[in-house]
Amino acid sequence: MGGASAEGQTQSRWQLLSVASEEPLTVARVARRLGVARQGVQRVANDLVREELAWFAPNPDHRGSPLLTLTPTGQDTLRRITTRASAIHRALTADIATPDIVATRGLLHRLIDEVHRYEDDDHRPTEDGSSA
């Protein structure tokens, strides 16, 4: 069983717990940091608040945008998920040489950068099938 699921959480909740553990942030800032839609983050944040893993603290800079903050229970849950995931990652990579992992990580980062560059350059096909 995976790290997050073993603790009754999803990957999305784990990501949100992790980002919110760094510093209290508005839902909009969390969404920007994760590169996802604010509405999805809001839904997951509301779930975490309902389960008392997080709470919305007042934001002195903007009354309408409270700061998502982990509760002690949320911090404990995140710690358990991270510990379990680290053990899984060590087991999965035990037979892979460190230079291979480093090279693969570098290649994945380059691929992600290329995807972002492609999306930023607006390479969507036009009606005739050519790139814009």
Side-chain angles (χ1 to χ4, degrees):
M1 194 176 251
S5 60
E7 295 298 328
Q9 302 301 318
T10 64
Q11 184 73 24
S12 297
R13 289 178 179 206
W14 178 16
Q15 288 176 330
L16 190 48
L17 286 168
S18 181
V19 171
S21 73
E22 296 169 10
E23 64 178 311
L25 296 170
T26 63
V27 166
R29 286 199 57 210
V30 171
R32 280 193 300 275
R33 188 168 289 179
L34 292 175
V36 297
R38 187 199 59 75
Q39 294 85 353
V41 172
Q42 186 69 60
R43 183 187 55 75
V44 174
N46 289 344
D47 291 344
L48 293 175
V49 169
R50 260 192 302 284
E51 294 178 18
E52 299 182 354
L53 298 173
W55 67 290
F56 288 114
N59 182 347
D61 295 327
H62 193 282
R63 201 170 7 148
S65 296
L67 301 171
L68 186 66
T69 307
L70 296 190
T71 64
T73 302
Q75 292 169 351
D76 289 343
T77 299
L78 176 60
R79 186 173 49 255
R80 287 192 308 272
I81 292 169
T82 303
T83 299
R84 186 180 301 271
S86 293
I88 293 168
H89 294 162
R90 281 192 305 277
L92 291 173
T93 60
D95 294 332
I96 302 173
T98 300
D100 290 341
I101 293 171
V102 171
T104 301
R105 185 173 187 262
L107 181 59
L108 288 172
H109 281 287
R110 284 180 40 211
L111 181 59
I112 290 167
D113 289 344
E114 287 301 317
V115 167
H116 289 153
R117 194 172 3 269
Y118 182 84
E119 290 172 345
D120 291 343
D121 288 345
D122 196 23
H123 283 91
R124 291 177 291 214
T126 60
E127 288 182 22
D128 66 3
S130 63
S131 291

